[in-house]
Amino acid sequence: MSRPVVMPAAVTPFLADGGIDFVSMARLLAYFDAGGCDSVVVGGTNGEGPLLSAVERRDLCKEACRAAGPLRVWLGTASESLPEIVWLAKQASNAGAAGLLLLPPRYFGDPGEESLALWFESILDQSEIPCLVYNIPQKSGYGLSASLLQRLANHPQFSGVKDASGQPGNLTSFRAVLGEEHDLLFGDSHPFPQAMEAGWTGTISGAANIVPHWFVQIFREWNDPDRRESSLVKYELLGRILELVRQGPQPALNKAVLREFGVLESDAMRLPLSPCPAEVRDSMLAALVESIGVRPGNLGLIAR
């Protein structure tokens, strides 16, 4: 990966009949590219990945790779089945994807570190493309340990970790066991300054669906010592937006705002998820204007 990296955790647009809206997906990818992003995750948590069939995830990855331009596409696996994930790894490789984001198995609870390591290693052994592991105890029911990551770090197909736990200790412990050749990517639950001070390399962000250009600018300025203070000011301005993203129904809120931006045709969700209430969407739209001075426009944002 290029560093620093901003990877939106892309939503998956749907048509009225429930199928994937690939036209809206192409517009969304163009929006990320125009915002300066270098990579994107499709079929992850924000992409309603667990609600997609394996064939749909294959097609989503294939069409995203075709429409992504310079963006590097990573596919979320979101499956309990080892054979299915290995099949998806092959399909993603054939499509030209940069790699996989591996959500750990969750249905049977915590399998124990040894069994979990063997599960990840089985995928890594059979994947032709790099893999990030995804620490999201809010969904899996258990957290990945630094010792597990240290073990996986020896595998040539292990790329790094995304941590969405919000646990401050992970910022230092994960960094300590992963070398410079690995990527450490934080989610919206970790504060940007603390993660960057700890040596993390970027973000996979649901909020970047809405304001990718802001995230890119914040990261670029952070890495310029003369502009670091400007980076922190921009992050503080973004604070209200991040708070609403964390509190609101996701990915429904992201979809509702992207529809208002003209990027998505529809804010439809897969059952059992529901569309975002209008009042929550309107609160976000108002915050975008009040906090960072942007409002809905044609295919994106227009400065106030």
Side-chain angles (χ1 to χ4, degrees), residues 246-261:
R246 287 190 288 263
Q247 292 177 353
Q250 291 297 356
L253 177 55
N254 285 337
K255 281 190 172 183
V257 173
L258 286 166
R259 182 184 184 187
E260 293 298 308
F261 287 175

Side-chain angles (χ1 to χ4, degrees), residues 162-183:
K162 175 189 176 180
D163 186 70
S165 69
Q167 298 173 9
N170 288 352
L171 295 177
T172 52
S173 64
F174 288 5
R175 175 74 278 173
V177 299
L178 296 182
E180 293 297 324
E181 68 275 16
H182 295 112
D183 287 285

Side-chain angles (χ1 to χ4, degrees), residues 87-166:
W87 180 80
L88 281 170
K90 180 65 174 177
Q91 302 307 310
S93 177
N94 290 343
L100 301 177
L101 178 63
L102 303 178
L103 184 71
R106 55 203 180 279
Y107 185 84
F108 292 104
D110 188 350
E113 186 162 309
E114 177 64 21
S115 294
L116 189 58
L118 293 172
W119 189 87
F120 278 124
E121 287 168 346
S122 180
I123 299 169
L124 293 169
D125 287 343
Q126 298 176 78
S127 177
E128 299 173 359
I129 52 178
C131 300
L132 289 162
V133 300
Y134 190 1
N135 186 40
I136 183 167
Q138 307 93 304
K139 302 297 183 184
S140 64
Y142 55 90
L144 306 184
S145 68
S147 59
L148 172 65
L149 297 181
Q150 187 173 33
R151 172 171 168 172
L152 297 179
N154 296 318
H155 199 289
Q157 290 294 50
F158 176 77
S159 178
V161 62
K162 175 189 176 180
D163 186 70
S165 69

